[in-house]
Amino acid sequence: MQNPTTEGLSLSMFESQYDAYLLTVRGLSRSTRSLHHYVVHRLLSSRFPIGYIRWSEIRFNDLVQFLTSEFARLHNRWTQTTWLMVLRSLLRYLSREGHLPSGWDAALPAIATRKHISLPRGLSQEQVRALWSASEGRKPRNLRDRALLLVFLRLGLRAEEVANISLADIDWRSGCLKIRSAKTYRDRVLPLPQDVGEAMASYLKVWRRHPTHVFEPRRPPFTEQRRRNHVGNSMRYLFASAGITDRGLH
Protein backbone atom coordinates (compact mmCIF):
# COMPACT_ATOMS: atom_id res chain seq x y z
CA MET A 1 0.00 0.00 0.00
CA GLN A 2 1.33 3.41 -0.90
CA ASN A 3 2.59 5.88 1.66
CA PRO A 4 -0.18 8.41 2.23
CA THR A 5 2.24 11.33 2.31
CA THR A 6 1.86 13.93 -0.39
CA GLU A 7 5.45 13.35 -1.55
CA GLY A 8 4.61 9.92 -2.96
CA LEU A 9 5.78 6.43 -2.14
CA SER A 10 9.10 6.38 -0.30
CA LEU A 11 11.92 4.61 -2.09
CA SER A 12 12.76 2.50 0.95
CA MET A 13 9.14 1.34 1.30
CA PHE A 14 8.94 0.34 -2.35
CA GLU A 15 12.25 -1.53 -2.13
CA SER A 16 10.88 -3.50 0.84
CA GLN A 17 7.68 -4.30 -1.05
CA TYR A 18 9.56 -5.38 -4.15
CA ASP A 19 11.99 -7.51 -2.15
CA ALA A 20 9.05 -9.28 -0.52
CA TYR A 21 7.60 -9.95 -3.98
CA LEU A 22 10.91 -11.35 -5.22
CA LEU A 23 11.10 -13.64 -2.17
CA THR A 24 7.52 -14.85 -1.80
CA VAL A 25 6.35 -14.87 -5.43
CA ARG A 26 9.55 -15.35 -7.42
CA GLY A 27 11.39 -17.39 -4.78
CA LEU A 28 14.72 -15.70 -5.47
CA SER A 29 17.76 -16.22 -3.27
CA ARG A 30 19.20 -13.49 -1.06
CA SER A 31 22.15 -12.89 -3.40
CA THR A 32 19.89 -12.56 -6.45
CA ARG A 33 17.54 -10.23 -4.56
CA SER A 34 20.53 -8.12 -3.53
CA LEU A 35 21.45 -7.70 -7.19
CA HIS A 36 17.88 -6.66 -8.03
CA HIS A 37 17.93 -4.22 -5.13
CA TYR A 38 21.20 -2.65 -6.31
CA VAL A 39 20.05 -2.09 -9.90
CA VAL A 40 16.56 -0.90 -8.93
CA HIS A 41 17.96 1.47 -6.33
CA ARG A 42 20.36 3.02 -8.86
CA LEU A 43 17.51 3.57 -11.29
CA LEU A 44 14.95 5.00 -8.89
CA SER A 45 17.36 7.06 -6.79
CA SER A 46 18.72 8.70 -9.95
CA ARG A 47 15.18 9.48 -11.15
CA PHE A 48 13.82 10.49 -7.72
CA PRO A 49 16.81 11.86 -5.77
CA ILE A 50 14.64 13.18 -2.91
CA GLY A 51 13.64 9.60 -2.09
CA TYR A 52 9.94 9.64 -2.99
CA ILE A 53 8.49 7.97 -6.07
CA ARG A 54 5.77 9.31 -8.34
CA TRP A 55 5.08 6.62 -10.91
CA SER A 56 3.14 9.03 -13.12
CA GLU A 57 6.34 11.01 -13.71
CA ILE A 58 8.34 8.10 -15.12
CA ARG A 59 8.77 8.10 -18.89
CA PHE A 60 10.06 5.28 -21.06
CA ASN A 61 12.89 7.54 -22.15
CA ASP A 62 14.09 7.66 -18.50
CA LEU A 63 14.82 3.95 -18.74
CA VAL A 64 16.60 4.26 -22.07
CA GLN A 65 18.76 7.09 -20.75
CA PHE A 66 19.54 5.10 -17.59
CA LEU A 67 20.64 2.07 -19.62
CA THR A 68 22.69 4.23 -21.97
CA SER A 69 24.48 5.86 -19.05
CA GLU A 70 25.08 2.60 -17.18
CA PHE A 71 26.22 0.65 -20.24
CA ALA A 72 28.76 3.39 -20.97
CA ARG A 73 30.59 2.31 -17.81
CA LEU A 74 29.60 -1.39 -17.79
CA HIS A 75 31.29 -2.85 -20.86
CA ASN A 76 30.94 -6.51 -19.89
CA ARG A 77 28.22 -8.09 -22.02
CA TRP A 78 27.15 -10.52 -19.30
CA THR A 79 26.70 -7.64 -16.84
CA GLN A 80 24.64 -5.68 -19.34
CA THR A 81 22.45 -8.71 -20.01
CA THR A 82 21.91 -9.20 -16.27
CA TRP A 83 20.91 -5.55 -15.78
CA LEU A 84 18.43 -5.80 -18.63
CA MET A 85 16.94 -8.91 -17.03
CA VAL A 86 16.57 -7.07 -13.70
CA LEU A 87 14.91 -4.04 -15.27
CA ARG A 88 12.51 -6.16 -17.31
CA SER A 89 11.52 -8.00 -14.15
CA LEU A 90 10.87 -4.67 -12.43
CA LEU A 91 8.78 -3.35 -15.34
CA ARG A 92 6.63 -6.49 -15.42
CA TYR A 93 6.00 -6.09 -11.69
CA LEU A 94 5.11 -2.40 -12.01
CA SER A 95 2.77 -3.18 -14.90
CA ARG A 96 1.07 -5.91 -12.89
CA GLU A 97 0.59 -3.47 -10.01
CA GLY A 98 -0.89 -0.86 -12.37
CA HIS A 99 1.92 1.68 -11.94
CA LEU A 100 3.21 1.58 -15.53
CA PRO A 101 1.77 0.53 -18.91
CA SER A 102 2.28 -3.04 -20.05
CA GLY A 103 4.83 -3.82 -22.73
CA TRP A 104 7.66 -1.62 -21.51
CA ASP A 105 9.71 -4.68 -20.58
CA ALA A 106 9.65 -5.98 -24.15
CA ALA A 107 10.29 -2.49 -25.55
CA LEU A 108 13.62 -2.05 -23.79
CA PRO A 109 16.43 -2.00 -26.39
CA ALA A 110 18.37 -5.21 -26.72
CA ILE A 111 22.08 -5.48 -26.03
CA ALA A 112 24.06 -3.96 -28.88
CA THR A 113 26.96 -6.05 -30.11
CA ARG A 114 30.02 -4.25 -31.41
CA LYS A 115 28.93 -4.58 -35.03
CA HIS A 116 25.45 -3.26 -34.27
CA ILE A 117 26.34 -0.15 -32.28
CA SER A 118 24.78 2.81 -34.02
CA LEU A 119 26.34 5.53 -31.91
CA PRO A 120 29.60 4.84 -30.08
CA ARG A 121 29.39 4.10 -26.39
CA GLY A 122 30.89 6.67 -24.10
CA LEU A 123 30.11 9.82 -26.07
CA SER A 124 30.97 12.74 -23.84
CA GLN A 125 28.47 15.46 -23.09
CA GLU A 126 30.66 17.83 -25.08
CA GLN A 127 30.46 15.54 -28.11
CA VAL A 128 26.69 15.22 -27.77
CA ARG A 129 26.43 19.01 -27.64
CA ALA A 130 28.63 19.24 -30.74
CA LEU A 131 26.36 16.81 -32.58
CA TRP A 132 23.34 18.80 -31.44
CA SER A 133 24.85 22.06 -32.70
CA ALA A 134 25.84 20.46 -36.01
CA SER A 135 22.24 19.40 -36.61
CA GLU A 136 20.76 22.87 -36.04
CA GLY A 137 19.06 24.67 -38.92
CA ARG A 138 15.95 24.50 -41.07
CA LYS A 139 17.43 22.99 -44.21
CA PRO A 140 16.19 19.47 -45.06
CA ARG A 141 19.63 18.05 -44.25
CA ASN A 142 19.62 19.69 -40.80
CA LEU A 143 16.10 18.47 -40.04
CA ARG A 144 17.05 14.95 -41.14
CA ASP A 145 20.20 14.94 -39.01
CA ARG A 146 18.35 16.23 -35.94
CA ALA A 147 15.65 13.57 -36.32
CA LEU A 148 18.24 10.81 -36.77
CA LEU A 149 20.27 12.00 -33.79
CA LEU A 150 17.23 12.00 -31.52
CA VAL A 151 16.07 8.57 -32.71
CA PHE A 152 19.47 7.05 -31.95
CA LEU A 153 20.01 8.83 -28.62
CA ARG A 154 16.49 8.49 -27.24
CA LEU A 155 15.49 5.04 -28.45
CA GLY A 156 18.80 3.17 -28.69
CA LEU A 157 17.96 1.56 -32.04
CA ARG A 158 20.25 -0.15 -34.53
CA ALA A 159 20.87 1.47 -37.88
CA GLU A 160 18.87 -1.20 -39.71
CA GLU A 161 15.89 -0.58 -37.41
CA VAL A 162 16.03 3.16 -38.02
CA ALA A 163 16.19 2.60 -41.77
CA ASN A 164 13.11 0.38 -41.57
CA ILE A 165 10.85 2.93 -39.83
CA SER A 166 7.91 3.50 -42.17
CA LEU A 167 5.15 6.07 -41.88
CA ALA A 168 2.73 3.22 -41.20
CA ASP A 169 4.79 2.27 -38.12
CA ILE A 170 4.09 5.61 -36.39
CA ASP A 171 0.93 6.00 -34.33
CA TRP A 172 0.89 9.76 -33.89
CA ARG A 173 -2.31 9.77 -31.85
CA SER A 174 -1.16 7.20 -29.28
CA GLY A 175 2.49 8.24 -29.34
CA CYS A 176 3.84 4.79 -30.24
CA LEU A 177 6.36 3.51 -32.74
CA LYS A 178 6.52 -0.02 -34.14
CA ILE A 179 10.07 -1.28 -34.62
CA ARG A 180 10.68 -3.96 -37.23
CA SER A 181 13.83 -6.04 -36.84
CA ALA A 182 15.20 -7.45 -40.08
CA LYS A 183 17.41 -9.77 -38.03
CA THR A 184 14.83 -11.47 -35.78
CA TYR A 185 11.66 -10.66 -37.74
CA ARG A 186 10.03 -9.79 -34.42
CA ASP A 187 8.24 -6.48 -34.04
CA ARG A 188 8.08 -4.48 -30.84
CA VAL A 189 6.26 -1.28 -29.94
CA LEU A 190 8.07 1.61 -28.25
CA PRO A 191 6.66 4.75 -26.70
CA LEU A 192 7.50 7.66 -29.02
CA PRO A 193 9.10 10.52 -27.04
CA GLN A 194 7.56 13.88 -27.91
CA ASP A 195 10.81 15.47 -29.09
CA VAL A 196 11.56 12.51 -31.36
CA GLY A 197 8.08 12.66 -32.89
CA GLU A 198 8.30 16.42 -33.42
CA ALA A 199 11.72 16.11 -35.08
CA MET A 200 10.51 13.41 -37.47
CA ALA A 201 7.37 15.41 -38.28
CA SER A 202 9.43 18.54 -39.03
CA TYR A 203 11.65 16.55 -41.37
CA LEU A 204 8.73 14.90 -43.17
CA LYS A 205 7.10 18.29 -43.81
CA VAL A 206 9.92 19.36 -46.14
CA TRP A 207 9.53 16.36 -48.43
CA ARG A 208 8.17 17.25 -51.87
CA ARG A 209 6.83 13.75 -52.37
CA HIS A 210 5.19 11.22 -50.04
CA PRO A 211 7.80 8.70 -48.83
CA THR A 212 6.91 5.28 -47.45
CA HIS A 213 9.78 5.36 -44.93
CA VAL A 214 10.90 8.23 -42.74
CA PHE A 215 14.59 8.16 -43.66
CA GLU A 216 14.66 7.55 -47.39
CA PRO A 217 17.29 8.83 -49.82
CA ARG A 218 16.18 11.68 -52.05
CA ARG A 219 16.59 9.72 -55.27
CA PRO A 220 15.79 6.12 -56.25
CA PRO A 221 16.31 3.29 -55.85
CA PHE A 222 14.44 3.18 -52.52
CA THR A 223 15.56 -0.30 -51.51
CA GLU A 224 16.17 -1.49 -47.96
CA GLN A 225 19.94 -1.60 -48.48
CA ARG A 226 19.91 1.90 -49.94
CA ARG A 227 18.01 3.18 -46.88
CA ARG A 228 20.58 1.59 -44.56
CA ASN A 229 23.41 3.19 -46.50
CA HIS A 230 21.59 6.52 -46.41
CA VAL A 231 21.20 6.38 -42.62
CA GLY A 232 24.84 5.39 -42.10
CA ASN A 233 26.20 8.02 -44.48
CA SER A 234 23.99 10.71 -42.92
CA MET A 235 25.32 9.97 -39.44
CA ARG A 236 28.92 9.88 -40.65
CA TYR A 237 28.38 13.29 -42.22
CA LEU A 238 26.92 14.58 -38.95
CA PHE A 239 29.91 13.29 -36.95
CA ALA A 240 32.30 14.96 -39.38
CA SER A 241 30.33 18.22 -39.21
CA ALA A 242 30.57 18.08 -35.40
CA GLY A 243 34.33 17.69 -35.62
CA ILE A 244 34.28 14.19 -34.14
CA THR A 245 36.96 12.32 -36.04
CA ASP A 246 38.21 9.87 -33.42
CA ARG A 247 34.98 7.89 -33.42
CA GLY A 248 32.82 6.38 -36.08
CA LEU A 249 29.80 4.20 -36.61
CA HIS A 250 30.36 0.49 -36.03
Side-chain angles (χ1 to χ4, degrees), residues 154-207:
R154 296 281 194 263
L155 301 180
L157 302 180
R158 298 194 296 265
E160 67 174 29
E161 294 174 326
V162 175
N164 283 337
I165 298 175
S166 71
L167 296 186
D169 293 331
I170 305 174
D171 187 337
W172 300 103
R173 183 181 297 275
S174 301
C176 296
L177 175 65
K178 181 184 292 185
I179 300 301
R180 304 176 185 274
S181 174
K183 182 177 178 64
T184 64
Y185 300 100
R186 294 178 59 186
D187 297 344
R188 66 187 193 275
V189 177
L190 299 181
L192 180 63
Q194 182 176 347
D195 55 351
V196 177
E198 291 176 350
M200 288 197 296
S202 295
Y203 173 53
L204 290 169
K205 286 179 181 178
V206 303
W207 275 90

Side-chain angles (χ1 to χ4, degrees), residues 134-148 203 206 218 234 237-238 241:
S135 64
E136 289 181 338
R138 302 305 300 174
K139 294 180 179 180
R141 183 186 66 212
N142 302 131
L143 296 174
R144 176 203 65 198
D145 292 347
R146 175 60 59 88
L148 278 171
Y203 173 53
V206 303
R218 286 282 170 173
S234 298
Y237 176 87
L238 178 59
S241 299

Side-chain angles (χ1 to χ4, degrees), residues 90-127:
L90 172 68
L91 292 176
R92 285 191 292 269
Y93 170 78
L94 293 175
S95 173
R96 193 191 75 167
E97 295 296 307
H99 297 309
L100 294 178
S102 62
W104 281 21
D105 59 312
L108 280 179
I111 293 292
T113 62
R114 286 300 299 174
K115 74 174 186 176
H116 284 143
I117 294 176
S118 298
L119 285 178
R121 288 194 183 98
L123 278 175
S124 68
Q125 288 299 315
E126 182 179 353
Q127 288 173 321

Side-chain angles (χ1 to χ4, degrees), residues 26-138:
R26 298 278 307 278
L28 300 185
S29 66
R30 174 179 294 182
S31 61
T32 303
R33 298 199 321 273
S34 295
L35 172 62
H36 280 251
H37 177 271
Y38 176 73
V39 176
V40 170
H41 182 81
R42 283 189 66 87
L43 168 66
L44 295 179
S45 61
S46 65
R47 180 60 183 81
F48 301 101
I50 64 172
Y52 288 91
I53 304 169
R54 289 183 179 273
W55 300 118
S56 61
E57 295 179 2
I58 289 188
R59 301 293 180 264
F60 182 78
N61 187 50
D62 295 333
L63 302 169
V64 175
Q65 289 182 333
F66 174 76
L67 284 176
T68 301
S69 173
E70 293 298 304
F71 286 2
R73 68 181 186 86
L74 301 170
H75 300 294
N76 182 276
R77 183 177 175 82
W78 182 87
T79 303
Q80 293 181 0
T81 303
T82 301
W83 280 51
L84 266 177
M85 174 198 69
V86 170
L87 288 183
R88 285 178 173 140
S89 172
L90 172 68
L91 292 176
R92 285 191 292 269
Y93 170 78
L94 293 175
S95 173
R96 193 191 75 167
E97 295 296 307
H99 297 309
L100 294 178
S102 62
W104 281 21
D105 59 312
L108 280 179
I111 293 292
T113 62
R114 286 300 299 174
K115 74 174 186 176
H116 284 143
I117 294 176
S118 298
L119 285 178
R121 288 194 183 98
L123 278 175
S124 68
Q125 288 299 315
E126 182 179 353
Q127 288 173 321
V128 172
R129 285 193 293 268
L131 289 168
W132 189 260
S133 297
S135 64
E136 289 181 338
R138 302 305 300 174

